[in-house]
């Protein structure tokens, strides 16, 4: 690790004011940041430890949802009985990720802002436009089995690794932030992430010193919720493909549907196309296949990850069949 | 860059250290406090050999800085025995032969002790069919909950049976 200045802060205003330098980083759980610092992929000159801030509560909102403090650990969030009863897809998604040891440290805000696990981002001997802008993308023609197939560019095909964020995308979560000057804003989770385009090193719309304070879940949408994850081993592995669905049926028709994918894009990939195809459709495998084709219409593989496109379609079909009681 | 002062409680004993802020909790335990029971495996949070219990929760001590733990209560494998008697989980690992080379064992045991507390608190896992229910600690549940601890000798069946025995109330 490169040397850095360490600062433990106890007020929000002080935290944001301390971290306005582009080379400063907030640290909460640290499970991703410290890993990257050991490899000198992240080389902050200053670490602002926000652990002492009062951001670890989950509270009811007036509209009937939940406000989750950015410092709530993944374990605490997944185990919260309100989440387990009203947002089971979120508990399932969180519990499908990492290990208990990591979930005990990892926080809600940190999980959203985790960096990609693209092997070329981690390999400092290889080009990577995200790690070193302008150096190229070794994944494009490399071992890109884990990489993205939709929404990315020829400058970067890194996938976002979060499971939690996929469920949050399906639940229309909103991210509440505070900036260094004290200004607050609310960002829909879908708008938090910046597409790689020509600037894959810019991953979110957050400004230096802007801190995620909380994530708000609106009241649960109607229907059954389900998270399905496909990976190389049965536990403690990143998704090849995952899908969060919330689906309500009325007789033999789909009345309401939410669909979000993980493992296929630079962000949790909410699919308006799949949802439009599903609403009013019959509860049949053919309808679910059609939704999958609508969702992946603009996807393209890069060689080793070609399989993700049909896998995503089939994973969606299986999740929808499960959630609607078709199987 | 200068050292930071940090005071923490390790195995019931108050310890004060002056540390480079880069020192991980794992290195503080091993190199500064001489508690070498906690092992360094991958040093990147993937193997679980460095698992310790902090304020009642198991974490990877390699992925956290010691200076982030001011005031925290840390339990390592050395802190589990009581008056010279092995912790029931340690004894069960011995009885069930839940190890071969033993390198991952301190992490496995710390993890297993915390697992039982998490289960008692009603935490679900990815193996829990209905996350709103109070899960029964089946072998599948134990395996899922222990997936953050890798054993390259593959003593998994005996690790699971050791944990199951303690979960069910001890030696029968």
């Amino acid at each position: 690790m490169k040397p850095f200045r360490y600062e433990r802060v106890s007020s929000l205003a002080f935290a944001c004011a301390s971290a306005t330098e582009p080379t400063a980083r907030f640290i909460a759980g640290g499970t991703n940041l410290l890993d990257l610092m050991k490899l000198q992929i992240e080389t902050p000159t200053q670490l602002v430890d926000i652990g002492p801030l009062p951001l670890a509560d989950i509270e009811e909102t007036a509209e009937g949802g939940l406000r989750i403090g950015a410092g709530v650990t993944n374990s605490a969030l997944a185990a919260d009985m309100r989440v387990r009863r009203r947002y089971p897809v979120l508990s399932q998604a969180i519990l499908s990720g990492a290990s208990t040891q990591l979930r005990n440290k990892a926080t809600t805000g940190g999980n959203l802002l985790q960096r990609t696990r693209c092997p070329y981002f981690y390999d400092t001997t290889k080009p990577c436009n995200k790690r070193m802008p302008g150096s190229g993308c070794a994944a494009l023609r490399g071992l890109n089995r884990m990489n993205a197939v939709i929404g990315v560019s020829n400058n970067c095909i890194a996938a976002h690794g979060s499971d939690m964020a996929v469920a949050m995308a399906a639940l229309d979560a909103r991210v509440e932030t505070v900036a260094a000057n004290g200004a607050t804003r609310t960002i829909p989770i879908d708008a938090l992430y910046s597409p790689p385009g020509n600037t894959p090193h810019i991953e979110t719309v957050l400004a230096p010193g802007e801190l995620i304070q909380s994530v708000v879940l609106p009241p649960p949408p109607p229907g059954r919720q389900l998270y399905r994850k496909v990976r190389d081993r049965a536990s403690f592995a990143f998704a090849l493909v995952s899908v969060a669905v919330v689906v309500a049926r009325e007789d033999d028709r789909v009345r309401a549907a939410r669909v979000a994918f993980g493992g296929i894009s630079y962000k949790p990939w909410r699919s308006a196309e799949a949802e439009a195809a599903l609403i009013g459709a019959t509860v049949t495998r053919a309808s679910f296949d059609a939704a999958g084709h609508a969702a992946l219409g603009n996807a393209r593989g890069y060689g080793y990850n070609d399989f993700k496109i049909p896998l995503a379609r089939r994973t969606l079909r299986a999740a929808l069949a499960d959630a609607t009681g078709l199987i | 860059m200068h050292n930071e002062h940090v005071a923490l409680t390790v195995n019931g004993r108050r310890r004060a250290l002056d540390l480079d802020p880069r020192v991980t909790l794992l290195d503080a335990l091993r190199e500064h406090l001489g508690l070498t029971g906690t092992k360094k495996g991958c040093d990147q949070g993937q193997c679980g050999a460095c698992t310790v219990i902090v304020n009642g929760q198991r974490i990877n001590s390699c992925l956290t800085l010691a200076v982030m733990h001011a005031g925290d209560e840390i339990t390592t494998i050395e802190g589990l025995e009581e008056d010279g008697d092995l912790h029931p989980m340690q004894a069960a690992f011995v009885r069930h032969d839940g190890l071969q080379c033993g390198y991952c064992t301190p992490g496995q045991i710390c993890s297993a002790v915390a697992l039982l507390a998490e289960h008692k608190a009603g935490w679900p896992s990815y193996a829990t069919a209905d996350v709103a229910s109070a899960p029964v600690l089946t072998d599948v549940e134990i395996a899922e909950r222990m997936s953050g601890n890798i054993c390259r000798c593959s003593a998994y069946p005996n690790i699971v049976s050791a944990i199951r025995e303690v979960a069910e109330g001890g030696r029968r």
Side-chain angles (χ1 to χ4, degrees):
Chain A
M1 267 185 247
K2 296 279 190 190
F4 53 83
R5 215 160 61 247
Y6 173 80
E7 201 169 3
R8 198 169 159 93
V9 292
S10 52
S11 96
L12 208 53
F14 193 59
C16 296
S18 300
T20 48
E21 290 294 314
T23 54
R25 289 284 181 276
F26 293 118
I27 188 164
T31 54
N32 186 208
L33 181 59
L34 289 171
D35 193 22
L36 294 169
M37 285 169 64
K38 288 180 184 183
L39 298 164
Q40 299 189 10
I41 294 166
E42 287 273 10
T43 53
T45 57
Q46 186 178 6
L47 273 193
V48 180
D49 183 356
I50 57 170
L53 299 184
L55 295 173
D57 290 327
I58 304 172
E59 55 193 45
E60 299 280 347
T61 63
E63 62 171 352
L66 290 177
R67 172 173 283 105
I68 304 156
V72 173
T73 65
N74 288 178
S75 285
L77 185 54
D80 187 279
M81 200 41 97
R82 293 163 295 185
V83 176
R84 288 158 69 181
R85 291 208 174 107
R86 284 149 59 188
Y87 306 97
V89 68
L90 180 56
S91 276
Q92 287 171 358
I94 292 169
L95 293 168
S96 79
S99 65
T100 309
Q101 287 97 316
L102 290 166
R103 294 193 297 269
N104 282 346
K105 281 302 284 178
T107 61
T108 305
N111 185 314
L112 290 175
L113 298 182
Q114 66 181 284
R115 312 292 305 273
T116 184
R117 265 62 176 194
C118 175
Y120 300 102
F121 176 68
Y122 268 78
D123 183 349
T124 52
T125 67
K126 299 291 191 301
C128 171
N129 286 324
K130 192 182 276 300
R131 178 167 35 74
M132 198 184 288
S135 61
C137 173
L140 270 184
R141 284 172 198 81
L143 297 170
N144 48 35
R145 190 165 176 276
M146 298 297 292
N147 289 71
V149 293
I150 194 164
V152 289
S153 75
N154 279 341
N155 295 305
C156 180
I157 57 171
H160 197 267
S162 175
D163 292 291
M164 180 194 81
V166 179
M168 285 181 171
L171 294 169
D172 270 342
R174 305 188 298 267
V175 178
E176 297 180 326
T177 71
V178 56
N181 64 6
T184 58
R185 62 170 170 159
T186 300
I187 306 165
I189 188 168
D190 200 51
L192 176 66
Y193 300 100
S194 305
N198 295 320
T199 53
H201 58 290
I202 300 170
E203 297 178 352
T204 71
V205 299
L206 301 182
E210 188 173 8
L211 180 72
I212 296 178
Q213 281 193 84
S214 45
V215 174
V216 173
L217 301 180
R224 274 201 64 195
Q225 304 179 14
L226 195 143
Y227 191 71
R228 194 176 178 107
K229 179 171 178 175
V230 182
R231 48 186 159 175
D232 283 332
R233 58 184 186 192
S235 184
F236 198 9
F238 287 97
L240 292 165
V241 164
S242 69
V243 60
V245 297
V246 185
V247 57
R249 65 179 289 180
E250 201 167 273
D251 302 323
D252 63 340
R253 300 266 165 188
V254 175
R255 182 163 58 85
R258 303 271 186 94
V259 172
F261 292 94
I264 65 167
S265 188
Y266 67 93
K267 65 174 179 179
W269 190 259
R270 180 80 181 263
S271 178
E273 294 86 352
E275 293 171 12
L278 284 168
I279 291 165
T282 53
V283 176
T284 57
R285 290 168 71 90
S287 300
F288 300 160
D289 277 335
H293 279 279
L296 280 302
N298 291 324
R300 64 159 286 201
Y302 294 85
Y304 287 103
N305 68 352
D306 292 350
F307 72 97
K308 281 194 175 187
I309 298 169
L311 181 62
R313 286 198 295 259
R314 291 201 303 271
T315 306
L316 175 63
R317 186 179 70 196
L320 289 169
D322 198 350
T324 55
L326 197 63
I327 47 169
Chain B
M1 305 300 154
H2 57 86
N3 280 0
E4 294 277 334
H5 184 76
V6 62
L8 26 79
T9 303
V10 182
N11 300 330
R13 194 169 150 206
R14 189 96 172 140
R15 309 297 293 257
L17 294 167
D18 281 301
L19 295 174
D20 184 313
R22 289 174 292 181
V23 174
T24 61
L25 179 60
L26 172 61
D27 287 341
L29 292 170
R30 288 182 56 86
E31 310 296 333
H32 295 264
L33 295 175
L35 294 169
T36 52
T38 307
K39 296 294 184 272
K40 183 180 283 194
C42 68
D43 209 27
Q44 49 188 14
Q46 294 183 10
C47 76
C50 68
T51 302
V52 298
I53 302 169
V54 177
N55 301 334
Q57 302 210 326
R58 50 176 160 159
I59 67 166
N60 299 118
S61 61
C62 73
L63 278 189
T64 190
L65 300 172
V67 291
M68 295 166 72
H69 291 280
D72 285 356
E73 303 221 355
I74 292 142
T75 302
T76 69
I77 190 70
E78 292 94 339
L80 288 179
E81 57 93 23
E82 250 181 84
D83 302 326
D85 290 330
L86 291 181
H87 184 283
M89 192 64 78
Q90 291 174 304
F93 267 66
V94 173
R95 268 200 303 282
H96 288 262
D97 199 16
L99 59 139
Q100 186 170 312
C101 81
Y103 195 79
C104 72
T105 311
Q108 298 276 2
I109 290 175
C110 285
S111 201
V113 168
L115 178 159
L116 294 188
E118 291 156 5
H119 178 252
K120 206 170 168 189
W123 285 18
S125 85
Y126 194 60
T128 310
D130 173 7
V131 289
S133 69
V136 176
L137 206 54
T138 59
D139 285 1
V140 172
E141 281 277 1
I142 293 172
E144 166 60 27
R145 289 163 191 257
M146 289 297 290
S147 72
N149 292 84
I150 287 169
C151 170
R152 278 296 171 246
C153 307
S154 218
Y156 299 114
N158 295 357
I159 291 170
V160 170
S161 64
I163 296 170
R164 191 198 316 119
E165 181 188 279
V166 181
E168 289 171 352
R171 191 171 185 177
R172 282 181 299 180

